[in-house]
Amino acid sequence: MARAGVTVERLTRAAADLADEIGFESVTVSALARGFGVTDASLYSHIRNVRDLRTRVAILALTELADRAAAALAGRS
């Protein structure tokens, strides 16, 4: 059961916001857990480790970039 509304998607988006604030390499599970008001251990039921978290953030960023590029190119040939 999800505590404090913690889901993989919410964790990923919160980590992306945190990366915007403090830098991608500075994102840690501890910092993210503090933002949700939970312990580090409770996040490990949603993510494997900090590498998994950062990979999810990178995928989110690339997906958003692809969406913006598609929108910008729509209707052009």
Side-chain angles (χ1 to χ4, degrees):
M1 177 184 275
R3 288 184 57 212
V6 177
T7 64
V8 174
E9 184 173 325
R10 286 196 65 213
L11 286 174
T12 303
R13 292 197 177 278
D17 291 341
L18 189 59
D20 287 342
E21 292 175 28
I22 64 172
F24 184 75
E25 292 297 322
S26 298
V27 173
T28 63
V29 174
S30 295
L32 195 58
R34 277 191 301 274
F36 277 91
V38 298
T39 63
D40 298 8
S42 65
L43 297 188
Y44 288 110
S45 63
H46 303 282
I47 58 169
R48 282 183 241 126
N49 50 39
V50 73
R51 184 177 178 184
D52 177 41
L53 180 63
R54 290 179 183 163
T55 298
R56 291 175 186 277
V57 171
I59 290 169
L60 175 64
L62 290 171
T63 300
E64 289 177 357
L65 178 63
D67 290 346
R68 286 184 182 188
L73 295 172
R76 296 181 184 206
S77 58

